[in-house]
Amino acid sequence: MNDEKNTKARNRKIARNESARQMIGDIRVSAWAIGIAVIAALVVVTWILVKNR
């Protein structure tokens, strides 16, 4: 019985760690996506400004 409780506690701890790791990865991907979108928007705005001169 004690072994089963230890296993469950260990599994919960592993799940929490994995969840935190997944969240950090999601934030990192989101930051890259936002950065690429901003750069693309700047390129388009610059192209439009140069074209209209």
Side-chain angles (χ1 to χ4, degrees):
M1 186 73 171
N2 199 17
D3 249 2
E4 189 176 322
K5 285 183 181 180
N6 288 340
T7 302
K8 285 183 180 182
R10 181 175 170 266
N11 287 342
R12 281 193 291 272
K13 185 176 180 181
I14 290 170
R16 281 194 301 269
N17 289 342
E18 187 62 33
S19 176
R21 188 177 305 147
Q22 182 68 38
M23 184 174 54
I24 291 169
D26 291 346
I27 291 169
R28 188 177 298 131
V29 169
S30 296
W32 274 103
I34 291 169
I36 290 171
V38 167
I39 290 171
L42 288 174
V43 168
V44 169
V45 168
T46 303
W47 180 70
I48 290 171
L49 290 174
V50 168
K51 186 178 177 182
N52 287 335
R53 277 190 170 186

